[in-house]
Amino acid sequence: MSGPGRGRRLPLMSARDYGRAPREDREPGRPSRALVVALLLACASLMVLDGSGGALDPARRVVGEAVGPAQAAADGMIRPVVGLSERFETQDHLRGELAALEAENADLRAAVRTAPYDRARLAELEGLTSAATDLGQALVPARVIGVGPSQSFRSTVTIDAGSQSGIRPDLTVLNNDGLVGRVLRVTATTATVLLIVDPDSTVGGRVAASMELGFLKGRGVLGDAGRLDLELVDETVVPRKHDTVVTWGSTDGASPYVAGVPVGEVVSVYSSLRESSQRAVIDPYVDFAALDVVGVVVPSGTRSDRAVVEADGSLR
């Protein structure tokens, strides 16, 4: 035969090749068109069944009954682990609040315990203000920080104010009750005070009612049994019981004792046959066994590293 195709032999086809769909040329890994069409039909069928009013409910119920207990058990195991960090954070917060409450409670207990002491100190400071006003003298407040003998004196105390506070020897020391003593010596930050109850202390005194003069000497005893002996200049004068005795004052009116500071009151009077004189026993106003806040009389305008109570009661 001649013509196009003549001479070319067609491939033989077996019987099994008839009816086979032509082979599709597709990329490796890409699903076939038939598979895609099948999946789309399946999705459409499920949507129709779900919208038809519960056709899938039995299947869902079966799955739920089978899977539900397992989910509950798993949730019960996972929930404590998930909430563990939150529990730790909550416990840390509670511990912080508990610590704050305990600290606040401790502060309140301390305040309750120290309240009487704070009130007593406040009363003494207010008393110093009144004393400064009554005497017309400036005072440097100080606290007693030591009690004990000093050199040849038996009855002394140490206060926490010295030369930096304007303190120098031979200045009057008092508190809100009356005369305490005089400054013996000072350092930059402390001072030693000789108490009027010391046996070697002598204070010029005046009986307030009669204005009679005398000299007060200590017996060296502190506390309730501490007493002073008053010997009057006029031996014929007999002081009366309960008379008030105040300081006589010095020649310069300032050191070692200013005038008019209350010392104590007469509790008894006795006669000295050997010296032919009248003597009075004085109960001091100051409790020397419980000294705390005192004031040192300083000249007005004294430079000090602490507040000074002025004669008018103001603080400088």
Side-chain angles (χ1 to χ4, degrees), residues 21-292:
R23 181 177 299 174
E24 297 178 359
D25 295 329
R26 55 188 177 89
E27 298 177 359
R30 181 177 180 181
S32 64
R33 293 190 181 92
L35 179 59
V36 174
V37 171
L39 290 175
L40 291 175
L41 291 175
C43 291
S45 300
L46 290 174
M47 293 174 61
V48 171
L49 290 174
D50 188 55
S52 64
L56 297 178
D57 287 346
R60 290 173 179 167
R61 185 164 50 252
V62 171
V63 174
E65 290 176 353
V67 178
Q71 287 181 333
D75 185 63
M77 296 174 62
I78 294 174
R79 185 180 296 113
V81 177
V82 173
L84 192 59
S85 61
E86 296 180 357
R87 188 174 296 110
F88 284 151
E89 292 178 358
T90 302
Q91 290 179 353
D92 290 341
H93 179 68
L94 290 176
R95 280 195 293 267
E97 288 187 348
L98 179 60
L101 289 174
E102 289 177 346
E104 183 178 356
N105 193 25
D107 292 340
L108 290 174
R109 287 197 301 268
V112 170
R113 288 193 295 265
T114 60
Y117 173 68
D118 293 337
R119 286 196 297 269
R121 290 195 63 197
L122 179 60
E124 290 181 344
L125 289 171
E126 292 176 347
L128 286 183
T129 302
S130 299
T133 304
D134 295 340
L135 295 173
Q137 302 284 347
L139 300 176
V140 172
R143 289 189 60 195
V144 174
I145 57 175
V147 179
S150 176
Q151 292 183 351
S152 59
F153 300 101
R154 290 188 293 174
S155 303
T156 60
V157 296
T158 302
I159 60 176
D160 65 350
S163 59
Q164 293 179 356
S165 302
I167 309 301
R168 57 177 177 79
D170 286 335
L171 292 181
T172 305
V173 182
L174 50 85
N175 68 1
N176 59 320
D177 291 322
L179 183 65
V180 172
R182 64 181 176 87
V183 177
L184 276 178
R185 56 184 173 273
V186 301
T187 67
T189 57
T190 64
T192 301
V193 177
L194 177 65
L195 305 179
I196 60 173
V197 292
D198 189 272
D200 293 323
S201 170
T202 301
V203 181
R206 183 190 298 273
V207 179
S210 63
M211 300 299 288
E212 293 293 331
L213 302 177
F215 297 97
L216 292 156
K217 293 186 67 68
R219 295 182 177 181
V221 180
L222 300 176
D224 294 338
R227 295 292 186 269
L228 303 170
D229 291 317
L230 172 64
E231 182 178 353
L232 296 176
V233 174
D234 187 347
E235 300 177 355
T236 62
V237 175
V238 180
R240 295 176 301 179
K241 191 175 182 179
H242 302 305
D243 275 349
T244 298
V245 178
V246 299
T247 53
W248 176 2
S250 305
T251 54
D252 59 358
S255 60
Y257 299 105
V258 297
V261 180
V263 178
E265 70 172 31
V266 178
V267 293
S268 63
V269 179
Y270 65 93
S271 299
S272 174
L273 298 178
R274 186 181 63 181
E275 300 177 5
S276 300
S277 62
Q278 300 286 337
R279 296 197 178 197
V281 178
I282 310 301
D283 183 16
Y285 292 130
V286 173
D287 182 1
F288 293 95
L291 283 176
D292 183 24

